[in-house]
Amino acid sequence: MSHRNALVAAIRQELAEARGAARAVLAAAETARGEAQTRRRLVRDAYGTCLNQLAEARDTARRDIQRRFQYETAKLAGNVRRVAALSATGAAAAPWRLWAPSEPERGGRPGLLRIGTLALDDATPLPALIPLLDAAHLDLAGPPSMVDGIITGLLLRALGSTRPGDVQLTVYDPEHLGGTLAAFAPLGISFVGPGGVGAMLDELVEHICRVNETVLAGSSRVEPWRVVVLLFDAPDLPPAQRAQLDRITRTGVACGVHLIVRGLRLTDHETVVRVDADARRCDTTGDLEISLDPPPPADRVVSFCKETAERMRAGPPPAQLSDLSPATFWAETSAHGLIAPIGDSTDGSLIDVPLGDDPPHALIGGPSGSGKTNLVYAWLAALATRYGPSELALYLLDFKEGVSFARFVQGPRDPSWLPQVRLAGINVNGDREFGLAMLRHLGEELRTRAQAAKRHDATKLAELRAEDPTGVWPRIVAVIDEFQVLLGGRDAVADEAVTLLEDLARRGRSQGIHLILASQDVSGIEALWGRSGLVGQFTLRIALPKARRILADNNLAAAVIPRHHAVVNTESGTAGANVVVRLPDAGDRLVWRTLQRRLWRLRPDGCEEPRLFDGDAVPRLPASCRPAGLVPDAATPVGSSPGAVLGERIDVAARPARLRLGRMPGRNLAVLGTRTDEACDVLASAALSLAAQGPAHFSIVCLDPDAAGPAARLIAELPSADWFDALPELPDLDIPHYVLGYALDAGVDAGTLRRLVTDGPERRTHVLGWWRSVSRLRDSLGGPASRLDPIGAWVALDIQGADLTPLYPQPGGPAWYPRTRRALFFDRSVHRTPEVIIPYEVNSDHT
């Protein structure tokens, strides 16, 4: 029993232990399950959170990608739209409801033409563009009605975006006999009949060959574009015609010949663009589908063609002077030459004319009324707007009886002047001496520059100019209109002028000096022909309509050009180097004044007003040559050898001609001639200028009633002067004493006069007298020519050169032909040859 109880107790003990262990295992399992469930919940929560984060990141990335896509798409579409707007402007791309013809930019290349639009998602449709002029042939496939509408639209856009006459149409339409494009008939279309395709293709091939020969000769193509529309009704052509068509396909675009073909496939070539109207595809747009534009309204085509035909009959509009001006004034450097347009070509591009090392000088010719002055105005305007005063200096000389260059200098109504002008001479047809003075001045400038070039390498001078344009000389352009006046005559003036011109023409190019000679007379041009060394330097030739002897004898271009045109030739006038230029209207004074005032306001500080020499104007005695007040008394220090001002020298600078009156033998002056007013002006200007230089005493002897008025006005301005009705015995003074004799040939004592002119200068007494002829001067001095020795200087008015022989050191007298308000001045102590002066106007402005 006890054994059983012990066994029961042991079993119970084991069962209790087993239950305890089971409970412990169960508790551990429950704990593990709870932990696993917690981990599963955490994992599920983390998973849900991750899914939400991933979804949010995905949505954010998707939105960002879509935004970037939309931005890039819009940007790309905008860029494409801008490129399209630049490639096809105005009539080439406007929709039909807004369409209107538009003039192309001057010198611009033809652009693309619109045939429809390209849709890109929700973006604004882009224009579908295809090339034509100067770029491609068009091969169109599809239903004829649809293709014919495309062709009509393309032709209208091509014609509307070019100038009238720039495109010539040829149509081959055997099915409708030209009726398909009948709306374009007012433009003078060439319609080809059913049997004429072969001859048409042959003629196009010949035209292409001619154009190629012109281009190979160095000339630019100036013919209009030829657009040939071929509306075939057969699948192919005979072999000979097909060969010609293929030849045109390969070579036509470069020569301005373009094919638009329907119903026949063109040979594959880089210039062929294929358009499939049925599939709405095109080579230039790839796989993008095109929404083709409808045909243009028929009434719009007809009205445009009629208006264009009227404009073609009226001719092209004249070029504008403003077209010659650059966008920015004075932005060019003349270091390596001058280049500026003078007009435009038939295609509207500006034609530049160079001046530099080659060609160095220009020759302009054309009969009266052909527009020579207008051409010079246009050229000067183009140069003056490109090159500032530090780059360009202009010397302008007009030998015509006119004031062509007066507008470039300051006038009574317009204070402005052209800043580049240094000198302008007008009405100088009678003053060849002024032209010679200008050439002498340019010769001195040439020598100065040549000497400087010896000290500096020529390349270095160009570099210096590029770095600092103000530190190196500007290029000089000298324009001489009617230059033959200067070279006319067999005298010293012509001989020296030719020598100077030859030197300037030969050596000027290397020193930046350029000559432009112009003439309207054949004899003027022929004045150069006998001087091969001179004419050979003028390789730039500009011939106006009907000009002769400017171009080579076998070059007849000037005979066929219309008005307002010129032939520019840089190869000495040889045939084959012609460029025909349309000239603008540069003569409008208001347009020119507006341009000049704009340039004048841009002038730099220190820009000097140009010197104007007017052959018809009489200069007045300068204020500096008049006494400021009363003539100084004897207490004022006396200067040595005062100079009497007799008139203005004919020179580049407006300088007075002076006669030095020192204490040497012969320091007396004789004014010779019968022109009373001019003689009195010479004496008055001499007296007033002497009075302005220091203490002096004046004795006025007037023996002619006609001279009494001027003499009285002079003595009114010289309060200390004495008046005599006869030549008295004059005492010696401590200051210079000047005896002014009016008409001393009217009766003076010869002995008294001879003693005065012989002994007076040593005692500081000088005679400034007026005699009406050389013979009367000789008689008043008492006889033979030897008695004229005390007259060391003379001014001849209306005395012929031969009559001056007794006063001239060389036999025969000087070459002098009297002219109004001109005098011949000779000072034996200074001059080798006499010089021409202009007597100042003195008495007319006295009170």
Side-chain angles (χ1 to χ4, degrees):
M1 205 52 196
S2 57
H3 177 71
R4 184 188 299 172
N5 288 336
L7 181 60
V8 171
I11 292 171
R12 287 180 177 173
Q13 181 63 36
E14 290 179 356
L15 288 174
E17 291 176 357
R19 285 197 300 272
R23 282 196 295 271
V25 171
L26 179 62
E30 289 291 340
T31 300
R33 187 186 69 173
E35 292 176 354
Q37 289 177 341
T38 300
R39 285 195 300 273
R40 185 183 66 178
R41 186 174 63 254
L42 291 176
V43 170
R44 285 180 176 177
D45 292 345
Y47 174 71
T49 300
C50 183
L51 286 179
N52 291 335
Q53 289 177 346
L54 288 174
E56 184 177 354
R58 180 195 62 195
D59 293 341
T60 301
R62 181 183 297 165
R63 287 192 299 271
D64 184 59
I65 291 171
Q66 188 161 1
R67 280 197 304 269
R68 289 202 308 272
F69 173 76
Q70 292 173 347
Y71 171 76
E72 294 294 340
T73 301
K75 181 179 178 181
L76 180 60
N79 290 339
V80 172
R81 190 169 286 107
R82 282 190 290 272
V83 171
L86 293 174
S87 302
T89 60
W96 295 129
R97 60 186 178 85
L98 302 176
W99 189 90
S102 58
E103 285 283 336
E105 294 184 2
R106 186 173 299 276
R109 306 301 302 168
L112 305 178
L113 304 175
R114 167 175 161 161
I115 61 170
T117 57
L118 301 171
L120 298 176
D121 295 335
D122 296 331
T124 304
L126 297 172
L129 306 176
I130 61 175
L132 180 60
L133 299 180
D134 279 349
H137 304 293
L138 300 182
D139 185 342
L140 292 90
S145 59
M146 184 181 296
V147 172
D148 292 346
I150 295 175
I151 293 174
T152 302
L154 287 173
L155 292 179
L156 185 61
R157 292 190 185 280
L159 292 166
S161 58
T162 56
R163 292 181 177 83
D166 283 356
V167 177
Q168 291 183 358
L169 285 180
T170 300
V171 177
Y172 173 67
D173 185 11
E175 185 174 352
H176 296 94
L177 301 179
T180 304
L181 301 175
F184 295 95
L187 299 179
I189 296 180
S190 298
F191 288 104
V192 179
V197 65
M200 176 196 66
L201 294 175
D202 292 341
E203 193 275 331
L204 289 176
V205 170
E206 292 177 1
H207 173 76
I208 292 171
C209 292
R210 288 195 301 269
V211 173
N212 277 328
E213 290 175 359
T214 302
V215 173
L216 290 175
S219 300
S220 58
R221 180 176 62 83
V222 296
E223 292 85 0
W225 291 287
R226 301 186 67 170
V227 176
V228 182
V229 181
L230 303 176
L231 305 178
F232 284 107
D233 57 358
D236 207 346
L237 294 170
Q241 296 179 5
R242 184 72 202 201
Q244 293 290 67
L245 182 65
D246 293 345
R247 188 175 181 182
I248 297 170
T249 303
R250 294 191 304 271
T251 61
V253 170
C255 298
V257 177
H258 303 275
L259 303 174
I260 300 179
V261 181
R262 185 209 71 190
L264 180 69
R265 185 177 178 86
L266 292 177
T267 303
D268 290 336
H269 191 265
E270 60 183 5
T271 60
V272 175
V273 174
R274 305 191 188 279
V275 179
D276 190 339
D278 206 11
R280 291 177 171 79
R281 295 286 191 273
C282 176
D283 288 348
T284 58
T285 58
D287 294 333
L288 296 176
E289 184 174 337
I290 303 173
S291 177
L292 295 171
D293 285 338
D299 58 342
R300 182 162 296 177
V301 178
V302 173
S303 62
F304 164 78
C305 292
K306 289 182 178 180
E307 293 173 1
T308 303
E310 292 177 0
R311 292 180 60 190
M312 291 172 63
R313 285 192 293 270
Q320 301 294 319
L321 183 63
S322 58
D323 296 335
L324 306 185
S325 300
T328 304
F329 285 1
W330 297 355
E332 302 293 333
T333 174
S334 63
H336 304 290
L338 301 168
I339 185 168
I342 62 171
D344 60 359
S345 65
T346 54
D347 64 354
S349 59
L350 293 178
I351 301 299
D352 288 327
V353 177
L355 275 179
D357 289 341
D358 186 22
H361 312 293
L363 187 61
I364 301 174
S368 178
S370 61
K372 176 167 54 65
T373 301
N374 180 72
L375 184 151
V376 173
Y377 285 168
W379 199 354
L380 293 181
L383 287 171
T385 52
R386 280 164 173 75
Y387 304 96
S390 63
E391 298 289 338
L392 173 65
L394 297 174
Y395 290 77
L396 312 175
L397 192 59
D398 186 3
F399 278 104
K400 295 195 306 294
E401 294 183 0
V403 291
S404 299
F405 296 142
R407 62 173 58 189
F408 303 128
V409 299
Q410 188 176 26
R413 298 181 180 179
D414 186 3
S416 68
W417 69 83
L418 199 61
Q420 292 87 347
V421 174
R422 306 294 175 83
L423 172 71
I426 60 176
N427 292 317
V428 293
N429 53 302
D431 291 303
R432 297 164 64 225
E433 296 84 3
F434 184 75
L436 189 60
M438 188 187 80
L439 294 181
R440 288 171 178 166
H441 174 78
L442 295 178
E444 289 293 332
E445 182 70 18
L446 175 63
R447 284 187 286 275
T448 300
R449 295 186 176 193
Q451 291 171 0
K454 291 180 180 179
R455 298 190 297 268
H456 300 85
D457 182 75
T459 305
K460 182 61 176 178
L461 286 177
E463 294 175 356
L464 291 174
R465 175 181 285 278
E467 296 173 1
D468 181 15
T470 62
V472 186
W473 297 290
R475 285 190 180 265
I476 292 175
V477 174
V479 182
I480 307 179
D481 198 2
E482 301 304 331
F483 68 93
Q484 73 276 2
V485 175
L486 182 60
L487 305 182
R490 296 181 179 179
D491 55 12
V493 173
D495 293 341
E496 186 178 356
V498 170
T499 301
L500 289 170
L501 278 175
E502 288 180 344
D503 190 42
L504 288 169
R506 187 178 66 258
R507 300 197 298 143
R509 69 167 73 195
S510 61
Q511 305 302 333
I513 299 178
H514 309 283
L515 302 174
I516 299 177
L517 304 185
S519 177
Q520 66 182 13
D521 193 350
V522 175
S523 61
I525 304 301
E526 290 178 344
L528 295 178
W529 252 233
R531 302 176 172 97
S532 58
L534 179 58
V535 72
Q537 301 295 328
F538 290 82
T539 55
L540 173 57
R541 310 287 177 83
I542 303 179
L544 292 157
K546 305 300 185 291
R548 296 167 57 193
R549 302 303 304 272
I550 289 290
L551 305 176
D553 292 339
N554 63 344
N555 190 346
L556 305 179
V560 297
I561 58 174
R563 290 190 63 194
H564 312 301
H565 286 68
V567 177
V568 177
N569 189 301
T570 59
E571 300 293 338
S572 299
T574 58
N578 297 330
V579 177
V580 178
V581 182
R582 294 190 304 175
L583 302 175
D585 180 9
D588 187 282
R589 187 169 292 275
L590 178 60
V591 173
W592 183 269
R593 185 178 302 167
T594 302
L595 174 63
Q596 179 166 292
R597 286 182 176 177
R598 183 179 174 187
L599 295 172
W600 181 63
R601 287 191 291 268
L602 292 175
R603 71 190 188 280
D605 295 337
C607 184
E608 296 183 0
E609 181 181 348
R611 150 84 156 133
L612 172 64
F613 178 84
D614 186 352
D616 287 349
V618 180
R620 293 195 172 189
L621 183 66
S624 60
C625 296
R626 292 181 178 274
L630 298 177
V631 177
D633 56 25
T636 305
V638 179
S640 62
S641 298
V645 171
L646 306 179
E648 183 174 282
R649 302 180 65 186
I650 299 182
D651 201 354
V652 170
R655 298 182 297 167
R658 294 180 180 271
L659 169 63
R660 291 294 175 184
L661 296 174
R663 302 178 68 171
M664 297 83 70
R667 293 294 84 196
N668 302 293
L669 173 70
V671 181
L672 304 169
T674 61
R675 294 200 290 257
T676 303
D677 292 342
E678 295 181 23
C680 292
D681 280 342
V682 173
L683 293 179
S685 61
L688 292 173
S689 60
L690 290 168
Q693 297 176 58
H697 186 77
F698 296 88
S699 296
I700 297 178
V701 181
C702 185
L703 305 180
D704 184 359
D706 292 339
R713 286 194 293 270
L714 176 61
I715 202 171
E717 198 165 348
L718 301 173
S720 66
D722 298 326
W723 179 281
F724 298 97
D725 293 326
L727 185 63
E729 292 287 346
L730 298 172
D732 294 338
L733 302 176
D734 294 333
I735 59 175
H737 187 186
Y738 302 106
V739 180
L740 302 175
Y742 289 80
L744 291 180
D745 54 1
V748 293
D749 180 71
T752 302
L753 178 60
R754 188 165 58 251
R755 286 193 301 272
L756 188 59
V757 297
T758 303
D759 303 330
E762 186 178 355
R763 303 196 306 268
R764 306 174 73 182
T765 299
H766 308 274
V767 174
L768 290 77
W770 166 40
W771 289 266
R772 279 164 285 201
S773 68
V774 176
S775 60
R776 290 192 177 192
L777 169 63
R778 184 177 56 224
D779 294 342
S780 64
L781 288 176
S786 60
R787 297 294 178 91
L788 298 177
D789 291 343
I791 304 300
W794 47 264
V795 173
L797 300 173
D798 54 349
I799 305 293
Q800 294 293 332
D803 296 335
L804 295 169
T805 301
L807 293 168
Y808 197 60
Q810 298 178 8
W816 168 242
Y817 304 96
R819 310 195 298 269
T820 303
R821 266 297 161 177
R822 297 295 183 270
L824 195 65
F825 171 43
F826 182 75
D827 183 350
R828 191 169 56 202
S829 66
V830 174
H831 292 138
R832 296 180 58 188
T833 58
E835 67 172 318
V836 181
I837 64 172
I838 307 175
Y840 286 116
E841 185 179 17
V842 181
N843 290 311
S844 63
D845 58 351
H846 284 196
T847 56

